[in-house]
């Protein structure tokens, strides 16, 4: 079974600065998908960024980028120019490509990000 | 606008009572999911459904039941057998096809014990 570990329960960053959230995972599969979701105080889960394991290029979405290290099974999220609205719980998630699993997500325990003005 | 609607936003359960959480989507997604979130923890999968009239148990299905009679709807019943139901429940959906289709989430239902 796949596991996802987020070793930083809490992080803080100064507004306009850069912060990196860590995520590691354990899998025996060679093809899979990785996601970062954001959960603000409203509790809605919002997709931030996604990465296919077969792609070597790191995904980027505006101020959000990932550092995907497949051999190390590491998938960190970098937030540049942090804004107050970035404050939220961030979850790393893994998804198997196997049809039998219905593409279910395995989540890490989350990192609570605080943005300081 | 397309999306996922969960209702109610807050729900209270009495001892020995079954309660049903609603999840409706108008995204034309084939697959739907129910997750449970406890404080300080990530999401855990309760049940999922890939197509109408079919569903599978997730990691923590005991004490829960679901149905999938329509593509748009995937209600979750928390039965009296679930001894610790207090949690935040999230419904999600995704396209059935496509290698990299993400899951879209509703706004959640918070269930508490009276």
């Amino acid at each position: 079974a796949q596991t996802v570990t987020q070793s930083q329960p809490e992080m803080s960053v100064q507004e306009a600065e850069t912060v990196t959230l860590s995520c590691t995972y354990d899998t025996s599969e060679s093809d899979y998908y990785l996601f970062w979701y954001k959960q603000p105080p409203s509790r809605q889960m919002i997709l931030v960024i996604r990465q296919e394991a077969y792609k070597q290029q790191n995904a980027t979405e505006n101020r959000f980028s990932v550092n995907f290290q497949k051999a190390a099974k590491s998938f960190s999220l970098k937030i540049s120019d942090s804004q107050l609205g970035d404050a939220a719980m961030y979850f790393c998630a893994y998804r198997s490509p196997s049809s039998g699993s219905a593409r279910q997500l395995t989540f890490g325990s989350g990192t609570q990000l605080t943005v300081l003005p | 606008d397309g999306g996922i609607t969960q209702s109610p936003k807050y729900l209270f359960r009495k001892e020995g009572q079954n309660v049903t959480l609603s999840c409706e989507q108008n995204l034309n997604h084939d697959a739907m999911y129910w997750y449970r979130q406890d404080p300080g923890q990530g999401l855990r999968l309760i049940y999922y459904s890939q197509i109408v009239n079919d569903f599978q148990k997730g990691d923590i299905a005991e004490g829960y039941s679901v149905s999938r009679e329509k593509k748009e709807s995937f209600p979750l019943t928390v039965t009296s057998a679930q001894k610790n139901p207090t949690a935040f429940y999230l419904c999600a959906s995704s396209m059935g096809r496509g290698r990299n289709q993400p899951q879209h989430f509703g706004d959640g239902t918070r269930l508490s014990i009276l």
Side-chain angles (χ1 to χ4, degrees):
Chain A
Q2 292 82 20
T3 58
V4 178
T5 302
Q6 293 179 250
S7 59
Q8 307 154 314
E10 297 176 349
M11 291 279 286
S12 63
V13 62
Q14 208 71 36
E15 195 175 3
E17 297 294 312
T18 296
V19 64
T20 298
L21 309 184
S22 301
C23 173
T24 59
Y25 56 93
D26 187 25
T27 183
S28 58
E29 297 174 316
S30 59
D31 191 18
Y32 47 86
Y33 309 97
L34 297 164
F35 303 85
W36 277 98
Y37 280 89
K38 166 184 175 181
Q39 188 178 42
S42 65
R43 304 301 296 274
Q44 186 181 18
M45 294 288 282
I46 302 166
L47 177 67
V48 175
I49 199 166
R50 68 183 97 167
Q51 174 82 41
E52 295 94 334
Y54 65 87
K55 288 187 178 179
Q56 293 187 344
Q57 186 174 6
N58 289 326
T60 61
E61 287 287 344
N62 300 315
R63 298 183 295 106
F64 299 88
S65 62
V66 299
N67 183 6
F68 174 49
Q69 302 289 328
K70 190 172 184 179
K73 297 180 182 176
S74 170
F75 182 60
S76 60
L77 174 70
K78 185 171 84 170
I79 306 174
S80 304
D81 185 25
S82 297
Q83 300 175 1
L84 295 176
D86 294 334
M89 181 74 88
Y90 286 81
F91 291 98
C92 177
Y94 172 103
R95 193 182 79 194
S96 167
S98 304
S99 60
S101 68
R103 302 179 178 83
Q104 66 183 108
L105 291 169
T106 300
F107 286 86
S109 56
T111 296
Q112 181 68 51
L113 178 67
T114 301
V115 180
L116 305 169
Chain B
D1 288 339
I4 301 173
T5 302
Q6 288 188 243
S7 62
K9 196 174 179 69
Y10 300 95
L11 187 59
F12 298 91
R13 196 192 87 169
K14 293 181 181 178
E15 203 72 36
Q17 184 183 41
N18 293 354
V19 292
T20 297
L21 285 61
S22 171
C23 178
E24 303 277 334
Q25 55 99 359
N26 60 4
L27 299 167
N28 199 32
H29 284 171
D30 295 306
M32 297 186 74
Y33 313 81
W34 273 106
Y35 292 91
R36 170 179 171 141
Q37 186 178 25
D38 292 283
Q41 297 188 30
L43 281 65
R44 293 183 291 168
L45 184 67
I46 304 172
Y47 268 99
Y48 63 92
S49 168
Q50 299 186 71
I51 56 172
V52 174
N53 292 323
D54 183 64
F55 48 83
Q56 306 294 329
K57 292 182 179 180
D59 299 323
I60 54 166
E62 186 174 350
Y64 300 97
S65 66
V66 294
S67 63
R68 187 86 187 276
E69 298 177 1
K70 297 186 301 182
K71 187 175 183 178
E72 303 80 20
S73 179
F74 191 41
L76 172 74
T77 296
V78 184
T79 74
S80 56
Q82 173 50 247
K83 298 305 179 189
N84 183 23
T86 297
F88 188 64
Y89 291 86
L90 281 160
C91 178
S93 69
S94 68
M95 293 287 287
R97 304 185 195 87
R99 287 168 55 86
N100 191 20
Q101 295 301 321
Q103 291 184 13
H104 299 264
F105 287 82
D107 291 342
T109 294
R110 176 164 295 285
L111 175 62
S112 302
I113 292 289
L114 279 179

